[in-house]
Amino acid sequence: MISVNSKLPQAGTTIFTVMSALANEVGAINLSQGFPDYDTSPELIELVNQAMKSGFNQYAPMAGYMPLREELSRKTEKLYGAYYNPDTEITITAGGTQALYTAIATVINPNDEVIIFEPAFDCYAPAIKVAGGIVKALELEPPDYRIRWDMVKRLVNSRTKMIILNSPHNPTATILHQEDIDALTAIVKNRDIFILSDEVYEHLIYDGEAHHSMAQYPELRERSFVIASFGKPFHATGWKVGYCMAPAVLMSEFRKIHQFLVFAVNAPMQAGIAEYLKNESHYLELPGFFQQKRDYFRKGLESTRFELLPCAGSYFQSVKYERITDEKDADFAMRLVKDFGVAVIPVSAFYGRGTDHHVLRFCFAKRQETLDNAVERLIKV
Ligand code: GLN
C-alpha cells in the first residue's frame, strides 16, 4: 500500500459538511452551515443569464473581469475612503476561502508564526500549517469574546509574520471597535507583520454600528490583505466568487500564486455581479434586511431555555445552554439534530484545542417560516 505523509494529520472533514450532511440525512432544519434557504435576487440571476447568452463563456482575465474590479474599487472608495487600483490591487477569487488560502500561501514561509483568535473560522489554521507556518492561537471567551490586546502583545515576537482578523466575526457575531483598531495599530507599527482581514460579513452589521475595514486605516492597509465575497451579501454562497484587495506590492505576489491555483474565476458570474453592484442599494439595504431576521430569531429564542449571546454582526446567533444540560457541545449538537430535528454548529469546532464553553451557533439567514419551525422545536428542548 502506498503511504501518505499527511500535510494535515489532525484534520477531519469540516464541521459544516458534517452537520449539513447529517441535517439532510435525518431531515432536520439546517441552521448549521451558514447559507440562506431563500433564493438570490431574480435580477442578479437574469444578469448572469444575459452574460452567458452574450458570450461571457471563455476565460476571464486572470485577475478578474475589469468592470467588476472597477466597481469594487468605486465601492471601497465610497464606503471606506480608500482607493485600490483595479488594475494592480484587486483580484477576483473563487470565493473567500480561496482568497484566504492564497493570501496565507503568499507570505507564510516555514516556521513563520501567525496569530489567530479562536474561536476561528476553520480554514485559517490548516492553510497556515500547509504553508509550514505555526499557528499561535489566542482563545477568546464568551460572553463578549473581546480580544485582549495585552495578550496579543505578549505573543508577538520576531517570528510573527501575520495576524488574522475577522469582523464581523464568525462564529461569535462580535465586531471590531475603534479601540481594537488603535491597539492593533500600535502593535504592528514598525514591525514586518501582515494582516489578513476576513471581511466577508462587512455588510451584515447591526444597530447602526459601522464596519471597521482595514482598508480605511493607512497604517494597517499598507500591510493588509482585505478579503470579501459576494456569497453572503447577495445570498449566493454556491457561486463561490470573492475577492482580495491589497497594496500592489502584496497583490503582485498574491497573483503569482492565484494564477497557478485557479488561474481565473468563472466569467458570467463576474459580469453579472459587476452590473448588479452598480445599484448600491443592493448592499446598503443588507443591515436592515438581516437585522429584522436577527431580531425575529432572538425573540423566538427568548421562549426557549437557551441563553442568547450578543449579536452585533454576521448571520450567526450563538447561545449558551447551561440551563438545559452539561453535555459537551458536540454531543448536545448531535442530540439536537437527531432527537429534535435542528442542526447547529458546536462552537468547540472553532477552537484548535476543542475548548468547550457550552456554546452553539445558529444561522438565521433563513425564511421566517424556517425560523418559526426551528423555534417551535427548540422550545421543546
Ligand atoms: N461560512 C459558512 C459558515 O460558517 C460556511 C462555510 C463553509 O461551509 N465552508 O457556516
Side-chain angles (χ1 to χ4, degrees), residues 302-344:
E302 275 170 15
S303 19
T304 70
R305 291 199 290 156
F306 293 95
E307 289 163 73
L308 292 162
L309 291 176
C311 172
S314 82
Y315 48 40
F316 303 113
Q317 174 64 53
S318 290
V319 295
K320 287 187 74 81
Y321 58 80
E322 273 146 357
R323 288 201 293 231
I324 301 171
T325 175
D326 59 6
E327 278 166 278
K328 288 187 189 146
D329 66 354
D331 294 343
F332 187 41
M334 282 299 164
R335 214 154 63 77
L336 277 182
V337 67
K338 289 185 176 149
D339 297 353
F340 294 92
V342 181
V344 300

Side-chain angles (χ1 to χ4, degrees), residues 14 16-17 32-35 97 121-122 170 201 232 240 315-316 345 350 361:
T14 159
F16 306 114
T17 299
S32 63
Q33 192 178 25
F35 65 90
T97 299
F121 186 52
D122 71 343
N170 177 11
Y201 299 100
K232 306 300 188 304
K240 297 300 294 174
Y315 48 40
F316 303 113
I345 299 285
F350 296 94
R361 188 199 83 172

Side-chain angles (χ1 to χ4, degrees), residues 126-243:
I128 297 162
K129 289 178 191 164
V130 170
I134 294 164
V135 178
K136 291 285 175 182
L138 199 76
E139 293 200 2
L140 310 180
E141 288 175 15
D144 57 356
Y145 296 101
R146 291 252 62 89
I147 295 175
R148 296 265 316 272
W149 291 102
D150 53 329
M151 308 272 279
V152 180
K153 210 167 160 185
R154 269 189 265 156
L155 267 187
V156 169
N157 63 64
S158 60
R159 291 181 303 279
T160 308
K161 187 55 83 63
M162 176 182 263
I163 299 177
I164 303 184
L165 290 153
N166 171 215
S167 179
H169 188 264
N170 177 11
T172 68
T174 56
I175 55 172
L176 292 176
H177 295 96
Q178 188 60 48
E179 59 264 31
D180 297 301
I181 300 294
D182 295 343
L184 173 66
T185 309
I187 287 174
V188 296
K189 209 178 163 94
N190 301 324
R191 288 181 186 270
D192 288 333
I193 299 178
F194 296 102
I195 293 170
L196 178 53
S197 186
D198 177 353
E199 303 185 13
V200 299
Y201 299 100
E202 68 182 313
H203 297 301
L204 282 62
I205 187 159
Y206 312 126
D207 306 315
E209 292 279 0
H211 171 58
H212 290 273
S213 174
M214 293 302 133
Q216 70 201 88
Y217 305 98
E219 283 173 299
L220 298 178
R221 172 221 161 110
E222 65 174 18
R223 58 183 74 238
S224 291
F225 295 90
V226 175
I227 310 291
S229 101
F230 303 106
K232 306 300 188 304
F234 296 157
H235 323 299
T237 61
W239 289 10
K240 297 300 294 174
V241 186
Y243 57 97

Side-chain angles (χ1 to χ4, degrees), residues 274-318:
E275 208 44 45
Y276 193 69
L277 265 179
K278 286 183 183 160
N279 181 347
E280 61 179 23
S281 71
H282 289 147
Y283 47 86
L284 295 181
E285 70 195 8
L286 292 168
F289 175 82
F290 281 111
Q291 183 165 328
Q292 190 273 333
K293 291 197 180 293
R294 179 201 66 168
D295 293 346
Y296 189 79
F297 187 52
R298 283 177 70 91
K299 187 137 196 355
L301 284 177
E302 275 170 15
S303 19
T304 70
R305 291 199 290 156
F306 293 95
E307 289 163 73
L308 292 162
L309 291 176
C311 172
S314 82
Y315 48 40
F316 303 113
Q317 174 64 53
S318 290

